[in-house]
Amino acid sequence: MAIDPKSVESDRVLILDYGSQYTHLITRRIRFLDVFSLCLSGTSSLKTIADYKPRVVILSGGPHSVHTPGSPSFPDGFIEWAESNGVFVLGICYGLQLIVQKLGGIVRVGEKQEYGRMEIEVTKASGLYGSKNCGDSQTVWMSHGDEAAKLPEGFEVVARSKQGVVAAIQNQLRRFYGLQYHPEVTHSPEGMETLRYFLFDVCGVKAGWKMENVLDEEIKVINQTVAPDEHVICALSGGVDSTVAATLVHKAIGDRLHCIFVDNGLLRYKERERVMETFERDLHLPVTCVDATEQFLRELKGVDDPEKKRKIIGKEFICIFDDFAQELEQKLGKRPAYLVQGTLYPDVIESCPPPGSGRSHSHTIKSHHNVGGLPKDMKLKLIEPLKLLFKDEVRRLGKILNVPEGFLKRHPFPGPGLAVRVIGDVTLENYLDTLRLVDEIFIQSIKDAGLYDVIWQAFAVFLPVRTVGVQGDQRTHGHAVALRAVTSEDGMTADWYPFDGKFLAEVSQKICNSVRGINRVSYDITSKPPSTIEWE
């Protein structure tokens, strides 16, 4: 249960996803303009699309070719529906090629394939480019092999690349537009302005996506869902997401919310003590702490596969929540019917099942115990009030709810905890304790350097490999650890943080001198994509 997208007061923009790694960025960029946007499967039915009553539909890019049999496309009747309802349509990259092909133009394999930064030049004044004139140029991010060879009747070219390839098209009468490049990425420096011009100047979209409105609507939805005599359990992880979700639900139903914090043995250094103090002292949330370390580690013993670890952890969490619900039933005389979780929109996008029913043109990136790992026979019904929000939106909502700013700025911590930061079996030797100490040194060093708030997420990873070293004039055969720190806006894409060499040298020295058994430290300089932020 979450806010109904159809109840949002702002004009709605739907993004039909055809598998581009940048699709989520379109969604995020539009929300930054205070306009509500939502990502659906590119193969959603026409009824599904129409039910949202969008002002604008954006067709995303993707890895496909319109010439390939079975390549994804919008549903039959989409063009007629859009025109009869005054809906504006923007195709980006593959989306442009779909428009050209489906409306009677010709798309061919490009003689001059374009990838990366390219210069484009405006060839006709257009609302897509504001006040820019013919001949004005800008840098954009191209990623296409096919190109529009002949436009459908009534369409005109408004920008070309320096190589002469069609870069932007429009048919103002039919309200169809297209960009052969990706305006949503930072590599297109003026892309955000293009989206702004398109939404507000071309389409006349009205902004209205405000966190204050989200708060009011979520409280209304919660009160409509949870009957006056019903009770709710909230799974608190100690992270920003579950804490904001709990605070929101607590504001809606008060003491009928019963929070549980589970120490699963996979927490960071002194996490249990620190988090419980914040819950009780600052947030005044009713929290029961359960120590389930032995239970989780027993089930994880001998398990190497990361997805299997996630599923086991998800199953054990639900078992504990069910037991907690039974205890509350004996105490209250009524069994809680709902479970609150801090699931975010990126979790939904990257997990199984992806957003929108029937998506078949993208891959599952990860499964979470709070999204893809829940058992089918779970007795509790879910309340996920943050399910349509990105991380920065959650932080803004938390600020309105008076969650302490220091807590809101905490780096994300995965639901499976250190299980996805110890490669392989987490129960071997003292891997978990070793990782906790390494991680604490790294994070404290970042805080001491004044960099904690600049970095999206930082952590250490334990590598189950032996490495030769020299410590105390003796040959050692210890373990290696990897450090990871990334910058990001929403966790969907990320880049590694460029620490200076002196900082990394000092951190490495502290770790090797302070943590027994570690004699080698590496720093991960891989972006997302191609990697993910977490290691498992």
Side-chain angles (χ1 to χ4, degrees):
M1 185 278 296
I3 185 173
D4 182 359
K6 303 180 185 69
S7 69
V8 174
E9 292 184 6
S10 82
D11 284 337
R12 290 182 281 278
V13 176
L14 291 186
I15 295 93
L16 299 188
D17 180 12
Y18 293 107
S20 169
Q21 61 181 310
Y22 304 127
T23 300
H24 61 278
L25 281 177
I26 308 172
T27 312
R28 183 66 199 92
R29 298 290 184 254
I30 293 173
R31 289 194 188 183
F32 183 80
L33 298 172
D34 295 329
V35 176
F36 180 71
S37 59
L38 190 70
C39 180
L40 295 181
S41 165
T43 55
S44 294
S45 69
L46 184 58
K47 182 180 186 305
T48 297
I49 296 169
D51 281 349
Y52 284 98
K53 297 180 180 178
R55 176 73 172 169
V56 179
V57 173
I58 295 178
L59 312 176
S60 86
H64 314 280
S65 169
V66 293
H67 302 298
T68 303
S71 60
S73 179
F74 43 72
D76 291 340
F78 172 80
I79 294 170
E80 295 77 11
W81 165 81
E83 291 184 316
S84 63
N85 288 276
V87 176
F88 290 82
V89 179
L90 173 67
I92 294 177
C93 199
Y94 177 76
L96 175 146
Q97 295 161 16
L98 272 180
I99 290 175
V100 170
Q101 185 198 54
K102 294 297 183 181
L103 273 71
I106 297 174
V107 177
R108 69 183 179 197
V109 176
E111 296 177 2
K112 301 174 182 178
Q113 297 182 346
E114 298 176 316
Y115 298 98
R117 289 183 177 87
M118 302 288 294
E119 287 288 316
I120 66 167
E121 184 177 290
V122 175
T123 58
K124 178 180 176 60
S126 167
L128 286 170
Y129 298 112
S131 60
K132 287 187 178 296
N133 299 313
C134 290
D136 288 344
S137 62
Q138 61 180 277
T139 301
V140 301
W141 186 259
M142 291 281 194
S143 181
H144 67 98
D146 291 349
E147 65 181 50
K150 179 183 177 183
L151 297 187
E153 184 178 349
F155 279 77
E156 55 190 347
V157 178
V158 295
R160 288 185 182 273
S161 72
K162 292 294 185 179
Q163 298 187 100
V165 175
V166 172
I169 63 174
Q170 67 179 19
N171 184 320
Q172 293 174 305
L173 183 63
R174 301 182 72 176
R175 300 186 180 88
F176 277 80
Y177 297 78
L179 300 172
Q180 187 54 75
Y181 59 91
H182 291 276
E184 68 273 20
V185 301
T186 56
H187 304 307
S188 297
E190 297 180 63
M192 191 67 177
E193 287 303 304
T194 299
L195 289 175
R196 188 192 304 273
Y197 291 139
F198 174 70
L199 292 175
F200 298 129
D201 297 348
V202 174
C203 306
V205 164
K206 295 178 181 177
W209 173 245
K210 304 288 185 183
M211 281 303 106
E212 289 81 1
N213 301 133
V214 173
L215 173 60
D216 294 340
E217 183 64 26
E218 287 289 6
I219 289 175
K220 184 172 80 173
V221 170
I222 292 166
N223 283 320
Q224 288 174 344
T225 302
V226 181
D229 63 336
E230 287 184 318
H231 292 257
V232 176
I233 290 174
C234 181
L236 282 173
S237 68
V240 174
D241 309 332
S242 64
T243 300
V244 172
T247 306
L248 172 60
V249 176
H250 190 249
K251 183 177 179 66
I253 66 172
D255 292 340
R256 289 185 290 129
L257 173 70
H258 307 272
C259 298
I260 177 172
F261 177 76
V262 180
D263 184 350
N264 58 3
L266 302 168
L267 303 178
R268 290 172 289 196
Y269 184 77
K270 293 189 176 179
E271 179 83 350
R272 174 175 168 181
E273 296 88 342
R274 293 169 177 173
V275 166
M276 286 301 294
E277 182 181 4
T278 300
F279 289 155
E280 295 168 358
R281 183 193 63 198
D282 299 324
L283 298 175
H284 310 293
L285 289 172
V287 185
T288 298
C289 182
V290 175
D291 186 349
T293 298
E294 185 177 335
Q295 176 179 337
F296 276 85
L297 296 186
R298 180 179 63 247
E299 295 299 319
L300 289 168
K301 187 175 179 61
V303 179
D304 293 324
D305 181 73
E307 284 303 296
K308 190 173 181 181
K309 285 195 276 189
R310 291 175 186 268
K311 299 294 185 184
I312 290 172
I313 292 167
K315 179 176 179 294
E316 292 308 308
F317 268 118
I318 296 303
C319 289
I320 291 171
F321 299 153
D322 281 338
D323 290 344
F324 185 55
Q326 289 181 10
E327 293 174 10
L328 286 173
E329 182 178 13
Q330 294 176 356
K331 178 182 177 181
L332 303 170
K334 185 176 181 65
R335 184 181 179 85
Y338 295 93
L339 172 67
V340 178
Q341 292 196 133
T343 308
L344 301 193
Y345 198 40
D347 296 334
V348 178
I349 293 172
E350 291 195 337
S351 301
C352 182
S357 60
R359 177 191 283 185
S360 59
H361 301 287
S362 63
H363 296 277
T364 297
I365 307 299
K366 59 188 174 184
S367 64
H368 291 252
H369 74 262
N370 63 334
V371 180
L374 296 176
K376 294 180 180 179
D377 60 348
M378 186 178 74
K379 301 179 181 68
L380 297 165
K381 291 174 283 188
L382 283 180
I383 295 177
E384 296 173 301
L386 312 180
K387 197 171 184 178
L388 294 180
L389 303 183
F390 288 93
K391 176 72 77 172
D392 63 316
E393 293 174 321
V394 172
R395 289 187 168 120
R396 283 159 55 197
L397 184 60
K399 190 172 183 178
I400 296 171
L401 288 164
N402 296 317
V403 176
E405 188 171 357
F407 198 91
L408 291 175
K409 290 181 176 179
R410 296 190 83 202
H411 289 181
F413 187 62
L418 298 184
V420 293
R421 294 178 181 174
V422 171
I423 310 302
D425 188 347
V426 303
T427 66
L428 294 177
E429 300 179 30
N430 62 336
Y431 290 179
L432 286 169
D433 289 335
T434 298
L435 179 58
R436 288 187 184 99
L437 292 174
V438 172
D439 188 74
E440 179 70 6
I441 291 171
F442 183 36
I443 298 302
Q444 190 57 53
S445 296
I446 290 174
K447 290 179 178 178
D448 292 343
L451 298 173
Y452 188 80
D453 292 344
V454 178
I455 293 169
W456 164 269
Q457 190 172 358
F459 56 90
V461 178
F462 186 91
L463 305 176
V465 294
R466 293 285 182 178
T467 174
V468 175
V470 178
Q471 292 170 296
D473 295 326
Q474 294 182 4
R475 179 186 175 91
T476 62
H477 198 216
H479 280 290
V481 292
L483 307 181
R484 180 111 163 108
V486 299
T487 56
S488 179
E489 288 187 3
D490 50 36
M492 295 294 291
T493 59
D495 205 356
W496 58 279
Y497 184 79
F499 291 115
D500 62 52
K502 181 181 178 184
F503 174 87
L504 290 173
E506 290 176 352
V507 171
S508 175
Q509 186 178 44
K510 286 180 186 176
I511 291 171
C512 291
N513 288 346
S514 305
V515 184
R516 184 179 296 276
I518 300 298
N519 64 4
R520 194 175 299 271
V521 178
S522 300
Y523 184 54
D524 183 348
I525 59 168
T526 318
S527 63
K528 174 187 178 181
S531 71
T532 57
I533 293 179
E534 296 291 344
W535 274 52
E536 282 205 348

